[in-house]
Amino acid sequence: MITQTMVQPSSWVEGDIQIQKVRGLSLFKFTDGLQARFEALIDRQKADILTSDEAAELAGMMELDRIFTLINARVIADS
């Protein structure tokens, strides 16, 4: 197991996530602002210019994205 520093995914719960209706289902999504930041960090990672603080932020966002993917998949499967 690899130990990795990350920003706690729960830090974005208050204002940076939303529940959006998609085809009658309520799915978890990033707000437009958080999505833009996520994509910017991915671009910086690809360019190999990510700082350690940004790497920790990206790691937390990636974990939150994985959580949302799993929850949304269950919502879709149960519909």
Side-chain angles (χ1 to χ4, degrees):
M1 177 196 261
I2 297 173
T3 302
Q4 181 177 15
T5 302
M6 75 173 166
V7 172
Q8 291 296 314
S10 60
S11 67
W12 292 291
V13 169
E14 287 298 314
D16 292 309
I17 63 166
Q18 59 188 349
I19 298 173
Q20 185 177 23
K21 287 280 189 183
V22 177
R23 297 184 187 164
L25 301 173
S26 297
L27 302 178
F28 289 91
K29 302 270 190 179
F30 289 170
T31 60
D32 290 342
L34 187 60
Q35 183 65 40
R37 178 66 177 158
F38 186 46
E39 291 170 10
L41 291 172
I42 291 170
D43 289 343
R44 290 180 60 78
Q45 182 184 43
K46 288 178 184 175
D48 200 27
I49 56 173
L50 206 59
T51 67
S52 60
D53 285 345
E54 289 171 332
E57 185 179 7
L58 179 58
M61 287 180 186
M62 291 175 80
E63 181 65 14
L64 188 58
D65 185 56
R66 280 190 289 272
I67 292 166
F68 284 175
T69 298
L70 293 170
I71 291 170
N72 289 340
R74 283 194 171 188
V75 167
I76 292 167
D78 290 345
S79 67

Coordinates of all heavy atoms in Angstrom, one line a residue:
M1 N 0.8 -1.2 0.0 CA 0.0 0.0 0.0 C 0.9 1.2 0.0 O 1.9 1.3 0.7 CB -0.9 0.0 1.2 CG -1.8 1.2 1.3 SD -2.5 1.5 2.9 CE -4.1 0.8 2.7
I2 N 0.5 2.2 -0.8 CA 1.3 3.5 -0.9 C 0.6 4.5 -0.1 O -0.6 4.7 -0.2 CB 1.4 3.9 -2.4 CG1 2.1 2.9 -3.2 CG2 2.0 5.3 -2.4 CD1 2.1 3.2 -4.7
T3 N 1.4 5.2 0.8 CA 0.8 6.3 1.6 C 0.9 7.6 0.8 O 1.9 7.9 0.2 CB 1.6 6.5 2.9 OG1 1.6 5.2 3.6 CG2 1.0 7.6 3.7
Q4 N -0.2 8.3 0.7 CA -0.3 9.5 -0.1 C -1.0 10.6 0.7 O -2.0 10.4 1.4 CB -1.1 9.2 -1.3 CG -1.2 10.4 -2.3 CD -1.9 10.1 -3.5 OE1 -2.6 9.1 -3.6 NE2 -1.8 10.9 -4.5
T5 N -0.4 11.8 0.7 CA -1.0 12.9 1.3 C -2.1 13.5 0.4 O -1.9 13.6 -0.8 CB 0.0 14.0 1.6 OG1 1.1 13.5 2.4 CG2 -0.6 15.2 2.2
M6 N -3.3 13.8 1.0 CA -4.3 14.4 0.2 C -5.2 15.3 1.0 O -5.3 15.2 2.2 CB -5.2 13.3 -0.5 CG -6.2 12.6 0.4 SD -7.2 11.5 -0.6 CE -7.9 10.5 0.7
V7 N -5.8 16.2 0.3 CA -6.8 17.1 0.9 C -8.0 16.2 1.2 O -8.4 15.4 0.3 CB -7.2 18.3 0.0 CG1 -8.3 19.1 0.5 CG2 -6.0 19.2 -0.2
Q8 N -8.6 16.3 2.4 CA -9.8 15.5 2.7 C -10.9 15.8 1.8 O -11.3 16.9 1.6 CB -10.2 15.8 4.2 CG -9.2 15.3 5.2 CD -9.1 13.8 5.1 OE1 -10.1 13.0 5.1 NE2 -7.9 13.3 5.2
P9 N -11.5 14.8 1.1 CA -12.6 15.0 0.2 C -13.8 15.7 0.9 O -14.5 16.4 0.2 CB -13.0 13.5 -0.2 CG -11.7 12.8 -0.1 CD -11.0 13.4 1.1
S10 N -14.0 15.5 2.1 CA -15.1 16.1 2.9 C -15.0 17.6 2.9 O -16.0 18.3 3.1 CB -15.2 15.6 4.3 OG -14.0 15.8 5.0
S11 N -13.8 18.2 2.6 CA -13.6 19.6 2.6 C -14.4 20.3 1.5 O -14.7 21.5 1.6 CB -12.2 20.0 2.5 OG -11.6 19.7 1.2
W12 N -14.8 19.6 0.5 CA -15.6 20.1 -0.6 C -17.1 19.9 -0.5 O -17.9 20.4 -1.3 CB -15.1 19.6 -2.0 CG -13.8 20.0 -2.3 CD1 -13.4 21.3 -2.7 CD2 -12.6 19.2 -2.3 NE1 -12.0 21.3 -2.9 CE2 -11.5 20.0 -2.7 CE3 -12.3 17.9 -2.1 CZ2 -10.2 19.6 -2.8 CZ3 -11.1 17.4 -2.2 CH2 -10.0 18.2 -2.6
V13 N -17.6 19.2 0.5 CA -19.0 18.8 0.7 C -19.9 20.0 0.8 O -21.0 20.1 0.2 CB -19.2 17.8 1.9 CG1 -20.6 17.6 2.2 CG2 -18.5 16.5 1.5
E14 N -19.5 21.0 1.6 CA -20.4 22.2 1.9 C -20.7 23.0 0.6 O -21.8 23.4 0.5 CB -19.7 23.1 2.9 CG -19.8 22.5 4.3 CD -21.2 22.2 4.8 OE1 -22.1 23.1 4.7 OE2 -21.4 21.1 5.3
G15 N -19.7 23.3 -0.2 CA -20.1 24.2 -1.3 C -19.6 23.8 -2.7 O -20.0 24.5 -3.7
D16 N -19.0 22.7 -2.8 CA -18.4 22.4 -4.2 C -19.0 21.1 -4.8 O -18.4 20.7 -5.8 CB -16.9 22.3 -4.0 CG -16.2 23.6 -3.8 OD1 -16.5 24.6 -4.5 OD2 -15.5 23.7 -2.8
I17 N -20.0 20.6 -4.2 CA -20.7 19.5 -4.9 C -22.1 19.8 -5.0 O -22.7 20.7 -4.3 CB -20.5 18.1 -4.1 CG1 -21.1 18.2 -2.7 CG2 -19.0 17.8 -4.0 CD1 -21.3 16.9 -2.0
Q18 N -22.8 19.1 -5.9 CA -24.2 19.3 -6.1 C -24.9 18.0 -6.5 O -24.2 17.1 -6.8 CB -24.4 20.3 -7.3 CG -23.8 19.9 -8.6 CD -23.9 21.0 -9.6 OE1 -24.5 22.0 -9.5 NE2 -23.2 20.8 -10.8
I19 N -26.2 18.0 -6.3 CA -27.0 16.9 -6.7 C -27.8 17.3 -7.9 O -28.5 18.3 -7.8 CB -27.9 16.4 -5.6 CG1 -27.0 15.9 -4.4 CG2 -28.8 15.2 -6.1 CD1 -27.8 15.5 -3.1
Q20 N -27.6 16.6 -9.0 CA -28.2 17.1 -10.2 C -29.1 16.0 -10.7 O -28.8 14.8 -10.7 CB -27.1 17.4 -11.3 CG -27.6 17.9 -12.6 CD -26.4 18.2 -13.5 OE1 -25.3 17.7 -13.3 NE2 -26.6 19.1 -14.4
K21 N -30.3 16.4 -11.2 CA -31.2 15.5 -11.8 C -30.8 15.1 -13.2 O -30.6 16.0 -14.0 CB -32.7 16.0 -11.9 CG -33.3 16.1 -10.5 CD -33.9 14.8 -10.2 CE -34.8 14.9 -8.9 NZ -35.3 13.6 -8.5
V22 N -30.6 13.9 -13.5 CA -30.2 13.4 -14.8 C -31.2 12.3 -15.2 O -31.2 11.2 -14.5 CB -28.8 12.9 -14.9 CG1 -28.4 12.4 -16.3 CG2 -27.8 14.0 -14.5
R23 N -32.0 12.5 -16.2 CA -33.0 11.5 -16.6 C -33.8 11.0 -15.4 O -34.1 9.8 -15.2 CB -32.4 10.3 -17.3 CG -31.7 10.7 -18.6 CD -31.1 9.6 -19.3 NE -30.4 10.0 -20.4 CZ -29.5 9.3 -21.1 NH1 -29.3 8.1 -20.7 NH2 -28.8 9.8 -22.1
G24 N -34.2 11.9 -14.5 CA -35.0 11.6 -13.4 C -34.3 11.0 -12.2 O -34.9 10.7 -11.2
L25 N -33.0 10.9 -12.3 CA -32.2 10.3 -11.2 C -31.4 11.5 -10.6 O -30.9 12.3 -11.2 CB -31.2 9.3 -11.7 CG -31.8 8.0 -12.4 CD1 -30.7 7.2 -13.0 CD2 -32.7 7.3 -11.4
S26 N -31.2 11.4 -9.2 CA -30.4 12.4 -8.5 C -29.0 11.9 -8.4 O -28.7 10.9 -7.7 CB -31.0 12.7 -7.1 OG -32.3 13.2 -7.2
L27 N -28.1 12.5 -9.1 CA -26.7 12.1 -9.1 C -25.8 13.2 -8.5 O -26.0 14.4 -8.7 CB -26.2 11.8 -10.6 CG -27.1 10.8 -11.3 CD1 -26.5 10.6 -12.8 CD2 -27.0 9.4 -10.6
F28 N -24.7 12.7 -7.9 CA -23.7 13.6 -7.3 C -22.7 14.1 -8.4 O -22.3 13.3 -9.2 CB -22.9 12.9 -6.2 CG -23.7 12.6 -5.0 CD1 -24.4 11.5 -4.8 CD2 -23.7 13.6 -4.0 CE1 -25.1 11.2 -3.7 CE2 -24.5 13.4 -2.8 CZ -25.1 12.2 -2.7
K29 N -22.5 15.4 -8.4 CA -21.6 16.0 -9.4 C -20.7 17.1 -8.7 O -21.1 17.7 -7.7 CB -22.4 16.7 -10.5 CG -23.4 15.9 -11.2 CD -22.7 15.3 -12.4 CE -23.7 14.6 -13.3 NZ -23.1 14.1 -14.5
F30 N -19.6 17.4 -9.3 CA -18.8 18.6 -8.9 C -19.5 19.8 -9.4 O -20.1 19.8 -10.5 CB -17.4 18.6 -9.5 CG -16.5 17.5 -9.0 CD1 -15.3 17.3 -9.6 CD2 -16.7 16.8 -7.8 CE1 -14.4 16.4 -9.1 CE2 -15.9 15.9 -7.3 CZ -14.7 15.7 -8.0
T31 N -19.4 20.9 -8.7 CA -19.9 22.2 -9.2 C -19.0 22.6 -10.4 O -17.9 22.0 -10.6 CB -19.8 23.4 -8.2 OG1 -18.4 23.5 -7.8 CG2 -20.7 23.1 -7.0
D32 N -19.4 23.5 -11.3 CA -18.6 23.9 -12.4 C -17.2 24.4 -12.0 O -16.2 24.1 -12.6 CB -19.3 25.0 -13.2 CG -20.6 24.5 -13.9 OD1 -20.7 23.2 -14.1 OD2 -21.4 25.3 -14.3
G33 N -17.2 25.1 -10.9 CA -15.9 25.7 -10.4 C -15.0 24.6 -9.9 O -13.8 24.6 -10.3
L34 N -15.5 23.6 -9.2 CA -14.6 22.5 -8.8 C -14.2 21.6 -10.0 O -13.0 21.2 -10.0 CB -15.3 21.6 -7.7 CG -14.4 20.5 -7.1 CD1 -13.2 21.1 -6.4 CD2 -15.2 19.7 -6.1
Q35 N -15.1 21.4 -10.9 CA -14.7 20.7 -12.1 C -13.6 21.3 -12.9 O -12.7 20.7 -13.4 CB -16.0 20.5 -13.0 CG -15.7 19.6 -14.2 CD -15.4 18.1 -13.9 OE1 -16.0 17.6 -13.0 NE2 -14.4 17.6 -14.6
A36 N -13.7 22.7 -13.0 CA -12.7 23.4 -13.7 C -11.3 23.3 -13.0 O -10.3 23.1 -13.6 CB -13.1 24.9 -13.9
R37 N -11.4 23.4 -11.7 CA -10.1 23.2 -10.9 C -9.5 21.8 -11.1 O -8.3 21.7 -11.2 CB -10.4 23.5 -9.4 CG -9.2 23.4 -8.5 CD -8.1 24.4 -8.8 NE -7.0 24.2 -7.8 CZ -5.8 24.6 -8.0 NH1 -5.5 25.3 -9.1 NH2 -4.9 24.5 -7.1
F38 N -10.4 20.8 -11.0 CA -10.0 19.4 -11.2 C -9.3 19.2 -12.6 O -8.2 18.7 -12.6 CB -11.2 18.5 -11.1 CG -11.0 17.1 -11.1 CD1 -10.0 16.5 -10.3 CD2 -11.8 16.2 -11.9 CE1 -9.9 15.1 -10.3 CE2 -11.7 14.9 -11.9 CZ -10.7 14.3 -11.1
E39 N -9.9 19.8 -13.6 CA -9.3 19.7 -14.9 C -8.0 20.4 -15.0 O -7.0 20.0 -15.7 CB -10.3 20.1 -16.0 CG -11.5 19.2 -16.1 CD -12.6 19.7 -16.9 OE1 -12.5 20.8 -17.6 OE2 -13.7 19.1 -16.9
A40 N -7.9 21.6 -14.4 CA -6.7 22.4 -14.4 C -5.5 21.6 -13.7 O -4.4 21.6 -14.2 CB -6.9 23.7 -13.8
L41 N -5.9 21.0 -12.6 CA -4.8 20.2 -11.9 C -4.4 19.0 -12.7 O -3.2 18.7 -12.7 CB -5.4 19.8 -10.5 CG -5.5 20.9 -9.5 CD1 -6.2 20.4 -8.2 CD2 -4.2 21.6 -9.1
I42 N -5.3 18.4 -13.4 CA -4.9 17.2 -14.2 C -4.0 17.7 -15.3 O -3.0 17.1 -15.7 CB -6.2 16.5 -14.8 CG1 -6.9 15.8 -13.7 CG2 -5.8 15.6 -15.9 CD1 -8.3 15.3 -14.1
D43 N -4.3 18.9 -15.9 CA -3.4 19.4 -17.0 C -2.1 19.7 -16.4 O -1.0 19.5 -17.1 CB -4.1 20.7 -17.6 CG -5.3 20.4 -18.4 OD1 -5.5 19.3 -18.8 OD2 -6.0 21.4 -18.7
R44 N -2.0 20.3 -15.2 CA -0.7 20.6 -14.6 C 0.1 19.3 -14.3 O 1.3 19.2 -14.5 CB -0.9 21.4 -13.3 CG -1.3 22.9 -13.6 CD -1.5 23.7 -12.4 NE -0.3 23.8 -11.6 CZ 0.7 24.6 -11.8 NH1 0.7 25.4 -12.9 NH2 1.8 24.7 -11.0
Q45 N -0.7 18.3 -13.9 CA 0.0 17.0 -13.7 C 0.6 16.4 -14.9 O 1.7 15.9 -15.0 CB -1.0 16.0 -13.1 CG -0.4 14.6 -12.7 CD -1.5 13.7 -12.2 OE1 -2.6 13.6 -12.7 NE2 -1.1 12.9 -11.2
K46 N -0.2 16.5 -16.0 CA 0.3 16.0 -17.3 C 1.5 16.8 -17.8 O 2.4 16.2 -18.4 CB -0.8 16.1 -18.4 CG -1.9 15.1 -18.2 CD -3.0 15.3 -19.2 CE -4.2 14.4 -19.0 NZ -5.3 14.6 -20.0
A47 N 1.6 18.1 -17.5 CA 2.7 18.9 -17.9 C 3.9 18.8 -16.9 O 4.9 19.4 -17.0 CB 2.3 20.4 -18.0
D48 N 3.7 18.0 -15.8 CA 4.7 17.7 -14.8 C 5.1 19.0 -14.1 O 6.3 19.2 -13.8 CB 5.9 17.0 -15.4 CG 6.8 16.3 -14.4 OD1 6.2 15.9 -13.3 OD2 8.0 16.2 -14.6
I49 N 4.1 19.8 -13.8 CA 4.4 21.1 -13.1 C 3.5 21.2 -11.8 O 3.3 22.3 -11.3 CB 4.2 22.3 -14.0 CG1 2.8 22.4 -14.6 CG2 5.3 22.4 -15.1 CD1 2.5 23.7 -15.4
L50 N 3.0 20.1 -11.3 CA 2.2 20.1 -10.2 C 3.0 20.3 -8.9 O 4.0 19.6 -8.7 CB 1.4 18.8 -10.1 CG 0.1 18.7 -9.4 CD1 -0.9 19.6 -10.0 CD2 -0.4 17.2 -9.5
T51 N 2.6 21.2 -8.0 CA 3.3 21.4 -6.7 C 2.8 20.3 -5.8 O 1.8 19.6 -6.0 CB 3.0 22.8 -6.1 OG1 1.6 22.8 -5.7 CG2 3.3 23.9 -7.1
S52 N 3.5 20.1 -4.7 CA 3.1 19.1 -3.7 C 1.7 19.4 -3.1 O 0.9 18.5 -2.9 CB 4.1 18.9 -2.6 OG 4.3 20.1 -1.9
D53 N 1.4 20.7 -2.9 CA 0.1 21.1 -2.4 C -1.0 20.8 -3.4 O -2.1 20.3 -3.1 CB 0.1 22.6 -2.0 CG 0.8 22.9 -0.7 OD1 1.1 22.0 0.0 OD2 1.1 24.1 -0.5
E54 N -0.7 21.1 -4.7 CA -1.6 20.8 -5.7 C -1.8 19.3 -5.9 O -2.9 18.8 -6.2 CB -1.2 21.4 -7.1 CG -1.3 22.9 -7.1 CD -0.6 23.5 -8.3 OE1 0.3 22.9 -8.9 OE2 -1.1 24.6 -8.7
A55 N -0.7 18.5 -5.7 CA -0.8 17.0 -5.8 C -1.8 16.5 -4.7 O -2.6 15.6 -4.9 CB 0.5 16.4 -5.7
A56 N -1.7 17.1 -3.5 CA -2.5 16.7 -2.4 C -4.0 17.0 -2.7 O -4.9 16.3 -2.4 CB -2.1 17.3 -1.1
E57 N -4.2 18.2 -3.3 CA -5.5 18.7 -3.7 C -6.1 17.7 -4.7 O -7.3 17.3 -4.7 CB -5.5 20.1 -4.2 CG -6.8 20.7 -4.5 CD -6.7 22.2 -5.0 OE1 -5.6 22.7 -5.2 OE2 -7.7 22.8 -5.2
L58 N -5.3 17.4 -5.7 CA -5.8 16.5 -6.8 C -6.1 15.2 -6.3 O -7.1 14.5 -6.7 CB -4.7 16.5 -7.9 CG -5.0 15.6 -9.1 CD1 -6.3 16.0 -9.8 CD2 -3.9 15.6 -10.1
A59 N -5.3 14.6 -5.4 CA -5.5 13.3 -4.8 C -6.9 13.3 -4.1 O -7.6 12.3 -4.3 CB -4.4 12.9 -3.9
G60 N -7.2 14.3 -3.4 CA -8.5 14.4 -2.7 C -9.6 14.5 -3.7 O -10.7 13.8 -3.5
M61 N -9.5 15.3 -4.7 CA -10.5 15.4 -5.7 C -10.7 14.0 -6.5 O -11.8 13.7 -6.8 CB -10.2 16.5 -6.8 CG -10.3 17.8 -6.2 SD -9.9 19.0 -7.5 CE -9.9 20.5 -6.6
M62 N -9.6 13.3 -6.8 CA -9.7 12.1 -7.4 C -10.5 11.0 -6.6 O -11.3 10.3 -7.1 CB -8.3 11.6 -7.8 CG -7.7 12.4 -8.9 SD -6.0 11.9 -9.3 CE -6.4 10.5 -10.4
E63 N -10.2 11.1 -5.3 CA -10.9 10.2 -4.3 C -12.4 10.5 -4.3 O -13.2 9.6 -4.4 CB -10.3 10.3 -2.9 CG -11.0 9.4 -1.9 CD -10.8 7.9 -2.2 OE1 -9.9 7.5 -3.1 OE2 -11.5 7.1 -1.6
L64 N -12.7 11.8 -4.2 CA -14.1 12.2 -4.3 C -14.8 11.8 -5.6 O -15.9 11.3 -5.6 CB -14.2 13.7 -4.0 CG -15.6 14.3 -3.8 CD1 -16.3 13.6 -2.6 CD2 -15.5 15.8 -3.6
D65 N -14.1 11.9 -6.7 CA -14.6 11.5 -8.0 C -14.9 10.0 -8.0 O -15.9 9.6 -8.5 CB -13.6 11.9 -9.1 CG -14.2 11.7 -10.5 OD1 -15.2 12.2 -10.8 OD2 -13.5 10.9 -11.2
R66 N -14.0 9.2 -7.4 CA -14.2 7.8 -7.4 C -15.4 7.4 -6.5 O -16.2 6.6 -6.9 CB -13.0 7.1 -6.8 CG -11.9 6.9 -7.8 CD -10.8 6.0 -7.2 NE -10.0 6.6 -6.2 CZ -8.9 7.3 -6.4 NH1 -8.5 7.5 -7.6 NH2 -8.2 7.8 -5.4
I67 N -15.6 8.1 -5.4 CA -16.7 7.9 -4.5 C -18.0 8.2 -5.3 O -19.0 7.5 -5.2 CB -16.6 8.8 -3.2 CG1 -15.5 8.2 -2.4 CG2 -17.9 8.8 -2.5 CD1 -15.0 9.2 -1.2
F68 N -18.0 9.4 -6.0 CA -19.2 9.8 -6.7 C -19.5 8.8 -7.8 O -20.7 8.4 -8.1 CB -19.1 11.2 -7.3 CG -19.2 12.3 -6.3 CD1 -19.0 13.6 -6.7 CD2 -19.6 12.1 -5.0 CE1 -19.1 14.6 -5.8 CE2 -19.7 13.1 -4.1 CZ -19.5 14.4 -4.5
T69 N -18.5 8.3 -8.5 CA -18.7 7.3 -9.5 C -19.4 6.0 -9.0 O -20.3 5.5 -9.6 CB -17.4 7.0 -10.2 OG1 -16.9 8.2 -10.8 CG2 -17.6 5.9 -11.3
L70 N -18.9 5.6 -7.8 CA -19.5 4.4 -7.2 C -20.9 4.6 -6.8 O -21.8 3.8 -7.0 CB -18.6 3.9 -6.1 CG -17.2 3.4 -6.5 CD1 -16.4 3.2 -5.2 CD2 -17.4 2.1 -7.3
I71 N -21.2 5.7 -6.1 CA -22.5 6.0 -5.6 C -23.5 6.2 -6.8 O -24.6 5.6 -6.8 CB -22.5 7.3 -4.7 CG1 -21.8 7.0 -3.4 CG2 -24.0 7.8 -4.5 CD1 -21.6 8.3 -2.6
N72 N -23.0 7.0 -7.8 CA -23.9 7.2 -9.0 C -24.2 5.9 -9.7 O -25.3 5.7 -10.2 CB -23.3 8.3 -9.9 CG -23.4 9.6 -9.3 OD1 -24.1 9.9 -8.4 ND2 -22.5 10.5 -9.8
A73 N -23.2 5.0 -9.8 CA -23.4 3.7 -10.4 C -24.5 2.9 -9.7 O -25.3 2.3 -10.3 CB -22.1 2.9 -10.5
R74 N -24.5 3.0 -8.4 CA -25.5 2.2 -7.6 C -26.9 2.9 -7.8 O -27.8 2.1 -7.9 CB -25.1 2.3 -6.1 CG -24.0 1.3 -5.8 CD -23.9 1.1 -4.3 NE -23.0 0.0 -4.1 CZ -22.8 -0.5 -2.9 NH1 -23.4 -0.1 -1.8 NH2 -22.0 -1.5 -2.7
V75 N -26.9 4.2 -7.8 CA -28.2 4.8 -8.0 C -28.8 4.4 -9.4 O -30.0 4.1 -9.5 CB -28.1 6.4 -8.0 CG1 -29.3 7.1 -8.5 CG2 -27.8 6.8 -6.5
I76 N -27.9 4.4 -10.4 CA -28.4 4.0 -11.7 C -28.8 2.5 -11.8 O -29.8 2.2 -12.3 CB -27.3 4.3 -12.8 CG1 -27.1 5.8 -12.9 CG2 -27.6 3.7 -14.1 CD1 -25.8 6.3 -13.6
A77 N -28.0 1.7 -11.1 CA -28.3 0.2 -11.1 C -29.6 0.0 -10.4 O -30.3 -1.0 -10.8 CB -27.2 -0.5 -10.5
D78 N -29.9 0.7 -9.4 CA -31.1 0.5 -8.6 C -32.4 1.1 -9.2 O -33.4 0.9 -8.6 CB -30.9 1.0 -7.1 CG -29.9 0.2 -6.3 OD1 -29.6 -1.0 -6.8 OD2 -29.5 0.7 -5.3
S79 N -32.2 1.9 -10.2 CA -33.4 2.5 -10.8 C -34.1 1.7 -11.8 O -33.7 0.6 -12.2 CB -32.9 3.8 -11.5 OG -32.2 3.5 -12.7

